[in-house]
Amino acid sequence: MTGVGEQPVPIFTPVWRPWKGQDDWVQMDRHASGQAVGGGGGTLKESESEELARLRREKAELVKEHAREKAEWEKERAELEDERDVLKRSVVLWVKEAMGR
């Protein structure tokens, strides 16, 4: 309880606070073990650059294939929606005819 005009005492305070230099420590560890740090900056071996080029080509081809498949699915979905609409209308007409209207 607090009196009028008094600030409440916080009941919960966070236990874990991120250490300010944590990212620097991780980067130093990666650098010491020979892994890439940050956005690259290092040079690649010839085999690595060839593999990177191959992977980029494969990714580009997969993106194109995905776009084609997506277009096919969209076309099929539109056709199915049209068929559904036709069936709905035919059921409405059939019910009206069956009820004698």
Side-chain angles (χ1 to χ4, degrees), residues 5-72:
E6 294 180 14
Q7 294 292 325
V9 177
I11 297 173
F12 171 76
T13 56
V15 176
W16 182 82
R17 293 186 180 134
W19 175 44
K20 193 172 187 176
Q22 184 176 15
D23 291 333
D24 295 335
W25 179 83
V26 171
Q27 288 180 358
M28 288 185 333
D29 183 53
R30 288 181 179 161
H31 182 66
S33 66
Q35 296 178 3
V37 178
T43 59
L44 298 176
K45 296 177 185 174
E46 186 176 341
S47 62
E48 291 174 332
S49 62
E50 289 172 0
E51 182 179 7
L52 183 59
R54 179 185 61 80
L55 290 171
R56 286 180 176 159
R57 284 191 305 270
E58 286 180 12
K59 179 184 175 187
E61 190 168 319
L62 287 172
V63 167
K64 288 178 186 176
E65 182 180 339
H66 175 70
R68 281 192 299 266
E69 288 176 355
K70 184 177 178 183
E72 290 174 9

Side-chain angles (χ1 to χ4, degrees), residues 88-101:
K88 280 183 180 180
R89 289 184 190 117
S90 64
V91 167
V92 168
L93 291 174
W94 178 74
V95 169
K96 284 183 179 180
E97 184 179 307
M99 296 184 77
R101 291 187 176 179

